[in-house]
Structure formats: C-alpha cells, structure tokens
Amino acid sequence: MDFTETGQIGDTIGGTMSPIVAIAGVFMTFIAFLMQINANRIQSEQLRKTFNLRLLENRIESRNALQLMSVDINVMIKEIDITCESIDTFCTYIEKNPTGEIPFYFTPKLSRSRYNSINRNLVYDAFSFMVSNDFLDDFRTTYSLMDLYSEGIDSLYSAIYKPYTDDIMKIKNKIPIAFEELCNAMNTRVSDPDLLRLFNVNMHERLIKDGILNVHELHKTLNDGRYSSLYDTNFNQYQRILGLTNSLITQNKMMVAAMRDAKVRLQKQETYERLVQLGIRIDTALSEHTIESIQKEFDKQI
C-alpha cells in the first residue's frame, strides 16, 4: 500500500485534535482543582466540627469540675459550722465539768481535701467562661480559702486537741495510783477512825462507780474541809493527788481557751463570708450555664 499521500491527512487530524485534547486537559484539570477545593472545604468543615465538639466536651467537663468544687465548698462551709458548734458544746461541758471527759469528734481529713483531686485546669477553664470577669482572682481565692480552712480544722486536732488530751490522759493515768497511795496512807495512819469511816463510805458511794474513779467527785472531796485532819496526817500523799487534779483542771481550761480561739479564727467574718459568697457565685454560674444551654450555644456554631 502507498502511504505517501496520507501524511497530510494525519497532519490535519493531529492539528485538529491537539487543541481539543489540550482544552479537554485544561477542563479536566479545572474540574480536578474544583474537586480538590471542595474536598478541602469538606475537610476543613469536619475539622471545625471536630474542634467544636472537643471544645464542647471540654466545656462540659469544666462545668462538671466546677460543680464538684461547688459541692466541696458547701461541704467545707457546713463542716466549719458543725465544728464551731461542736467546739461550743465541748467547751461548755468542760467548763462545767473541768475534770470531766468528753470526746471531740473530728470528720475524716479526706472529706476536707477532696477538692485537691479535681482537675485544676478544668476548674480554671470553668472560672474563665462561667464565673466572673475577675476569674483569676476568684480562682486563686477559692483555693486559698479551701486550703486555709482545711488546714485550720486539721490543726485544731493536731496542734490543740491531741497535745492537750495527751497531757490530760497522762495526768489521769496517775490519779488512780495517787489516790490508792492516799487511801493506803490514811488506813495506815488512822488519826480519826470515825472520820476515816465516813471517808470510806463516801468513797464507795460517790467516788468509785463500777470500778471507775470519778475524778470530778474526787476533786470535790479533796477540797472538803470535813476531811482536813485526815489530809493533814497524810500531807505528802494528799498534796500529790491534789496537785494532779489541779493540773487536770488547768490543762482542761487551757484547752478550752485554745479551742475557743480556734473557733474565732475559723469563723473570722471576712474570710468565712468570702468563702460563702464565692460558693453562691459558683452556684449561680452553674444555674445560668446548664449543660443544655452550653450544648445549644455550640449547636449554633456548628
């Protein structure tokens, strides 16, 4: 076959198709570019939604953390009130019965320190978008006051109640031994048999009940002038046990004074009222920023 005459046909076809192919290539490139732009837009929208969802989750977690803090603040305020009422009851009893013994009950330390287990970053975020414009000051003050009262109640036990009660128990443990020495001395050196008999009757009726020595009644008996001749005859033993009961009374009075001072510090008007007001502001913020309202706000953005 002779192809010598077909070159011009090929050139014609090539010259005609090349622009068409070029245009088609440009068009396809443009379509691909549009598709890439659309894909980028969809990806960007998905990233924005993901970011907003994460931000929403963080806001809800922050609110939950603030709600836990609110609970702990209210618990702390209640504990301060209960502790102060208990101090009044305790001190009033000891003042009426300076040789008596009544336990002072302390709540577990864990109940006052739970706020430390709350994520501080989440609480900080909640303060920043929920509580106030001066959120940084309020955030610092909240933790400072919670630390102050938690440590204050702890020190009431560790620095006041326990040291005084330890000393008191040491004195009380010595009193029965000293009393036995006084009784043995009086029974050995009998200066007035009738008076000694009266003392022994009083001892069995009032001083010892169910094998337990009543220190309050003992102190009254030691200061009863009717038995002065018995005490004079056994002066050393008498002075020893009288000194112990007087020391017991002194220690109890000192403990009462220290605990009343601690109560004044716990209920110091300025700091106590500041904690109460912070608790109210946080509760108000929580009521204004419910989980539902936060979700609605983010729904608008999405």
Side-chain angles (χ1 to χ4, degrees), residues 30 37 40 128-129 133 136 145 196 231 254 269 278 289:
F30 179 73
I37 291 176
N40 290 341
S128 67
F129 81 87
N133 293 328
L136 185 57
L145 291 176
L196 179 61
Y231 300 147
M254 291 171 62
Q269 194 65 27
L278 279 170
H289 296 81

Side-chain angles (χ1 to χ4, degrees), residues 43-286:
Q43 185 179 32
S44 176
E45 184 69 16
Q46 289 176 339
L47 288 173
R48 187 180 68 83
K49 288 182 179 180
T50 300
F51 175 79
N52 284 337
L53 286 173
R54 288 179 180 175
L55 187 58
L56 172 61
E57 290 174 358
N58 182 264
R59 285 288 172 90
I60 293 175
E61 288 178 0
S62 296
R63 185 191 182 280
N64 291 338
L66 188 65
Q67 192 162 31
L68 289 175
M69 177 61 79
S70 173
V71 171
D72 286 340
I73 289 174
N74 290 326
V75 167
M76 183 68 77
I77 292 171
K78 185 176 181 180
E79 187 160 337
I80 293 167
D81 294 338
I82 291 174
T83 300
C84 290
E85 290 175 6
S86 298
I87 289 175
D88 279 336
T89 302
F90 177 84
C91 292
T92 300
Y93 178 87
I94 295 298
E95 286 168 344
K96 292 179 179 179
N97 305 275
T99 61
E101 182 177 343
I102 177 175
F104 188 94
Y105 296 103
F106 291 87
T107 54
K109 183 176 180 179
L110 180 62
S111 66
R112 295 187 296 277
S113 59
R114 286 196 185 97
Y115 68 95
N116 285 321
S117 64
I118 304 172
N119 188 313
R120 290 173 71 97
N121 291 329
L122 292 176
V123 176
Y124 179 87
D125 289 343
F127 266 87
S128 67
F129 81 87
M130 287 176 58
V131 179
S132 65
N133 293 328
D134 299 327
F135 70 92
L136 185 57
D137 182 60
D138 286 343
F139 175 77
R140 290 172 176 168
T141 301
T142 298
Y143 275 94
S144 295
L145 291 176
M146 291 293 280
D147 289 342
L148 173 69
Y149 282 112
S150 179
E151 292 170 5
I153 295 175
D154 290 345
S155 66
L156 177 64
Y157 173 78
S158 61
I160 299 175
Y161 182 77
K162 189 176 186 305
Y164 274 109
T165 51
D166 285 347
D167 291 340
I168 287 169
M169 288 309 299
K170 289 177 183 177
I171 296 171
K172 284 190 171 184
N173 289 336
K174 294 176 182 178
I175 289 176
I177 299 172
F179 179 65
E180 184 178 359
E181 291 174 353
L182 175 62
C183 291
N184 290 338
M186 287 192 298
N187 286 314
T188 302
R189 294 187 291 271
V190 182
S191 58
D192 188 335
D194 292 334
L195 189 59
L196 179 61
R197 191 177 302 109
L198 177 63
F199 180 88
N200 287 330
V201 169
N202 178 63
M203 178 180 67
H204 289 96
E205 289 182 353
R206 299 174 60 188
L207 300 185
I208 299 178
K209 294 288 182 67
D210 300 323
I212 299 175
L213 179 64
N214 187 323
V215 181
H216 181 63
E217 289 296 330
L218 172 61
H219 185 71
K220 289 166 59 177
T221 301
L222 292 173
N223 288 279
D224 191 336
R226 293 178 300 169
Y227 307 114
S228 58
S229 62
L230 292 176
Y231 300 147
D232 290 341
T233 306
N234 304 278
F235 184 77
N236 291 336
Q237 290 82 0
Y238 169 73
Q239 284 296 317
R240 180 168 186 267
I241 191 168
L242 181 63
L244 287 171
T245 56
N246 284 336
S247 295
L248 178 62
I249 292 172
T250 300
Q251 285 292 318
N252 272 317
K253 287 181 177 179
M254 291 171 62
M255 178 171 64
V256 165
M259 292 191 73
R260 287 202 183 279
D261 286 343
K263 178 200 168 187
V264 171
R265 291 194 298 272
L266 283 175
Q267 282 192 318
K268 187 177 179 181
Q269 194 65 27
E270 182 180 351
T271 53
Y272 178 79
E273 189 61 29
R274 184 72 188 277
L275 183 63
V276 172
Q277 290 302 318
L278 279 170
I280 293 173
R281 290 170 66 180
I282 290 173
D283 289 341
T284 301
L286 288 169

